[in-house]
Amino acid sequence: MVVLSHNKKSILCLLLLATLITLSLGQGTRLGFYRTSCPRVESIVQNAVNSAVRANPTIAPGLLRMFFHDCFVNGCDASILIDGASSEKTARPNSLLRGFEVIDAAKRQLEIACPRVVSCADILALAARDSVVQTGGTGWSVPLGRRDGLVSRAADTANLPAFNDPINVQIRKFTDKGLNTQDLVALSGAHTIGTAACALFSYRLYNYNNTNGPDPTIDASFLPTLRNLCPNGGDGTTRVTLDTGSVRNFDNSYYSNLRNRRGVLESDAALWNNPATQTLVNRFLGLRGLLGLRFNLEFGRSMVKMGNIEVKTGTQGEIRRVCTATN
């Protein structure tokens, strides 16, 4: 009979507790899921992402946004990747997504290394993390084990967070997915490497709410810059950086722009105009007198939470042969 010391019992209890917490938060995903079945999965995805981002830096925010849009519609199940006349990919909010070819490239390599093992949903989760690292952010451990969904409908994208959502709607949409207000502010920080088409915000520059003037919450000294980039009646597809001065670096300068009333999207600006979210913005900036929040750390934690929204595991869903179609 083996008798454990008090310290060893305590350690075992802590390990058991950590495992239970991981399972409860991860809903079946876990670290090291492919340790024996496909040990090179992370390096294969990382190589595909790094190669693509080096060739085209706009791929990084594209992959991040793709993961976000996937998880908010019927969970993180790679339904965003499926081709079809009325699939999620065809919905208006997804019309400008980019980076699909990166996921396809990683999947082809993985099907050679370990056929029918790694889900497209897990590839997308890893690619989102690797996009952050490739742009200077801090990585995080990604729990894996998602299965791929069997359904993809454009109509299901109706409740995606939108560029003009007021703050109460943003909070509700995140709450509906098990995410809190801090997650909202942290994940919005992904816009530090993002861009937006003029069509999504130019209404704020000229005739906001039929006032024949701009949105009064925009910094007056910033307004001419935006108007030069997006002339009234100009090309609505022109893209503008969401983090002025730091679009290629994954950092917390996005929050400085919010504080300076230089949020480009109305949904971003709303984070500064609400007391609760403004406090969180200031905490991410580490302002004196507030309990600071480390952006990279909290972003990773919120990504793990988001990455476990309504995931399919075990015998649910399938492992697709190709990411663009169900088996």
Side-chain angles (χ1 to χ4, degrees):
M1 177 178 178
V2 178
V3 179
L4 296 176
S5 68
H6 176 73
N7 286 342
K8 288 184 177 178
K9 286 181 179 178
S10 299
I11 291 171
L12 285 173
C13 287
L14 287 172
L15 288 172
L16 178 60
L17 179 61
T19 301
L20 291 172
I21 290 173
T22 299
L23 289 174
S24 64
L25 290 176
Q27 302 176 9
T29 62
R30 59 181 172 84
L31 300 178
F33 184 84
Y34 298 108
R35 184 172 289 120
T36 57
S37 60
C38 193
R40 294 178 52 226
V41 56
E42 297 207 25
S43 64
I44 289 173
V45 175
Q46 183 182 67
N47 288 340
V49 171
N50 291 357
S51 177
V53 173
R54 281 195 296 267
N56 179 3
T58 66
I59 291 295
L63 289 170
L64 258 182
R65 186 166 175 244
M66 189 189 301
F67 184 52
F68 181 93
H69 282 213
D70 184 49
C71 289
F72 263 73
V73 179
N74 299 323
C76 309
D77 65 351
S79 52
I80 188 71
L81 304 177
I82 295 176
D83 288 338
S86 59
S87 68
E88 288 175 36
K89 192 184 287 189
T90 67
R92 188 172 182 180
N94 296 328
S95 61
L96 297 177
L97 287 179
R98 61 186 70 193
F100 293 104
E101 70 280 5
V102 183
I103 306 301
D104 292 339
K107 179 62 170 175
R108 284 193 295 271
Q109 291 298 313
L110 286 166
E111 285 301 298
I112 294 171
C114 29
R116 303 292 302 279
V117 171
V118 180
S119 68
C120 300
D122 277 344
I123 295 172
L124 184 51
L126 289 169
R129 187 270 311 276
D130 294 338
S131 295
V132 170
V133 174
Q134 185 67 8
T135 50
T138 302
W140 59 90
S141 297
V142 180
L144 301 172
R146 299 166 188 79
R147 304 264 292 179
D148 296 323
L150 302 173
V151 175
S152 182
R153 294 181 294 253
D156 292 341
T157 67
N159 286 322
L160 272 171
F163 61 89
N164 57 351
D165 278 346
I167 193 64
N168 62 311
V169 174
Q170 294 185 62
I171 291 172
R172 175 180 57 77
K173 286 181 177 180
F174 273 67
T175 300
D176 287 347
K177 297 299 180 182
L179 302 172
N180 59 33
T181 305
Q182 182 173 312
D183 296 317
L184 163 63
V185 178
L187 292 170
S188 296
H191 287 171
T192 183
I193 57 171
T195 63
C198 288
L200 298 183
F201 65 88
S202 58
Y203 68 91
R204 302 182 65 208
L205 310 181
Y206 300 101
N207 188 28
Y208 182 68
N209 287 344
N210 297 314
T211 61
N212 290 319
D215 183 340
T217 67
I218 300 175
D219 172 27
S221 66
F222 186 47
L223 188 60
T225 299
L226 292 178
R227 283 178 165 174
N228 284 335
L229 293 167
C230 302
N232 197 10
D235 183 359
T237 65
T238 299
R239 301 196 72 81
V240 175
T241 62
L242 297 178
D243 186 7
T244 303
S246 184
V247 71
R248 293 287 181 258
N249 300 311
F250 198 91
D251 55 29
N252 71 344
S253 63
Y254 161 81
Y255 300 109
S256 294
N257 277 313
L258 296 187
R259 180 183 60 190
N260 295 329
R261 297 190 297 122
R262 294 188 168 208
V264 175
L265 297 177
E266 188 169 14
S267 56
D268 284 348
L271 298 178
W272 182 253
N273 299 325
N274 173 272
T277 51
Q278 184 182 108
T279 296
L280 287 163
V281 169
N282 282 328
R283 289 180 67 188
F284 278 117
L285 287 170
L287 292 194
R288 188 174 300 173
L290 292 173
L291 180 62
L293 290 168
R294 292 172 55 193
F295 170 53
N296 273 283
L297 176 64
E298 298 303 330
F299 183 82
R301 286 176 174 169
S302 293
M303 285 289 283
V304 170
K305 286 180 67 176
M306 185 182 76
N308 282 302
I309 293 174
E310 301 165 25
V311 295
K312 297 163 181 64
T313 58
T315 59
Q316 299 170 318
E318 65 181 9
I319 304 297
R320 290 184 209 143
R321 297 183 182 88
V322 294
C323 292
T324 54
T326 57
N327 294 339

